[in-house]
Amino acid sequence: MNDLLMALTLGILEGATEFLPISSTGHLIVAQALLARTSEADKTFAIAIQLGAILAVCWHYRGKIAAVLTGLMHRDAPAVRLVVNLIVAFLPAAVVGLLAGKAIKAHLFSPSVVATMLALGGVAILLVERFRPTPRIACVEEMTWIDALKVGCAQCLALIPGTSRSGATILGGLLFGLSRTAVTEFSFFLAIPTMFAATLYTLAKDWHALTVTNLHEIAVGFVAAFVAGLIAVRWLLAYISRHSFALFAWYRIALAAVVWWVLVR
């Protein structure tokens, strides 16, 4: 496959899966394994194009982000509370990522780990949908810093490939009493500092692994991830307003079986 076409394909895959509870990292690891793209430069490429996906969220919520920034300047209580909650939720994964990120990347970025976590995550979604408590928080504005800390701790599980950052935060939020709409929106907002920090840190550390050709591929993947991410965000918000997350659970379990059969056994 042509390198730019491959970059386009991986960019679409990244954007389409980043905000769904099905693990974008897991999908990229599997896709790169199938395409024999597993070098350090390829791993850095997969991280770099996440910026396109996160900018899609920023664009979708540009009005609300502008309102929050304006509210901060006027010390508006809801805006300050949301920013504080995001900082609190961001810290657990940031600390664990800094301490264990190198070991995770060296030992857990494999199809077998991805398949296992996809399956376990699928089962977890079904159990949470069946036994979750009645929601007590209808929107993100009602969250306290303790609610945010709980969601942030749940996000730490997403450091294991195949778990899904959005899946971990959404499941955690549902268990802690957030409504589907509230936890999905908070997960999107939390993705902004989390993914920006992770992506920029990785690029600064591993920039030496890239070449001029890689930069062309990153540009293509970046744009593809932005467009696909914007479509995925808008679709998911519309979908969860009428449905549960069970569809994603069955998808994860089916994909885990395929990955195990094709790449692991």
Side-chain angles (χ1 to χ4, degrees):
M1 183 184 292
N2 177 274
D3 286 342
L4 292 183
L5 179 59
M6 189 177 300
L8 176 65
T9 302
L10 293 175
I12 293 173
L13 184 63
E14 158 62 26
T17 59
E18 181 60 56
F19 304 106
L20 306 182
I22 55 177
S23 181
S24 63
T25 301
H27 278 73
L28 287 177
I29 289 173
V30 170
Q32 288 180 313
L34 289 171
L35 296 170
R37 297 289 298 263
T38 57
S39 68
E40 285 303 311
D42 293 320
K43 292 177 181 178
T44 303
F45 165 85
I47 298 295
I49 61 175
Q50 289 181 348
L51 281 176
I54 193 56
L55 285 179
V57 168
C58 294
W59 179 255
H60 178 79
Y61 284 110
R62 61 192 183 280
K64 189 160 187 174
I65 292 173
V68 169
L69 294 176
T70 301
L72 284 177
M73 290 189 291
H74 294 90
R75 298 184 180 179
D76 179 60
V80 172
R81 184 165 58 250
L82 176 59
V83 171
V84 169
N85 286 345
L86 289 174
I87 293 172
V88 169
F90 165 77
L91 287 176
V95 172
V96 175
L98 284 173
L99 294 176
K102 187 175 181 179
I104 290 171
K105 189 174 181 180
H107 301 292
L108 298 183
F109 273 52
S110 68
S112 61
V113 173
V114 169
T116 300
M117 297 310 298
L118 282 171
L120 291 176
V123 173
I125 290 175
L126 294 176
L127 291 175
V128 170
E129 284 288 5
R130 176 68 178 83
F131 298 108
R132 72 188 181 95
T134 301
R136 58 181 175 81
I137 297 173
C139 59
V140 292
E141 288 78 11
E142 297 177 2
M143 292 178 63
T144 67
W145 71 268
I146 295 177
D147 296 318
L149 180 61
K150 291 177 181 177
V151 174
C153 289
Q155 183 175 236
C156 292
L157 294 173
L159 293 170
I160 305 173
T163 302
S164 170
R165 191 205 61 80
S166 60
T169 53
I170 286 172
L171 285 182
L174 291 176
L175 284 174
F176 303 139
L178 277 68
S179 69
R180 289 195 185 95
T181 300
V183 72
T184 301
E185 187 168 284
F186 188 73
S187 176
F188 286 167
F189 279 118
L190 182 56
I192 296 173
T194 301
M195 291 175 60
F196 264 126
T199 302
L200 295 177
Y201 173 77
T202 299
L203 288 179
K205 184 166 61 71
D206 298 332
W207 191 256
H208 63 277
L210 301 176
T211 65
V212 174
T213 301
N214 294 136
L215 297 181
H216 293 158
E217 294 175 11
I218 287 174
V220 171
F222 177 94
V223 173
F226 174 85
V227 175
L230 190 59
I231 294 171
V233 166
R234 293 176 175 175
W235 176 82
L236 181 61
L237 288 171
Y239 180 84
I240 57 99
S241 67
R242 304 185 302 273
H243 304 88
S244 74
F245 290 101
L247 171 67
F248 303 108
W250 292 115
Y251 172 82
R252 290 177 65 111
I253 292 170
L255 180 61
V258 172
V259 172
W260 195 270
W261 180 261
V262 175
L263 294 175
V264 180
R265 70 182 181 89

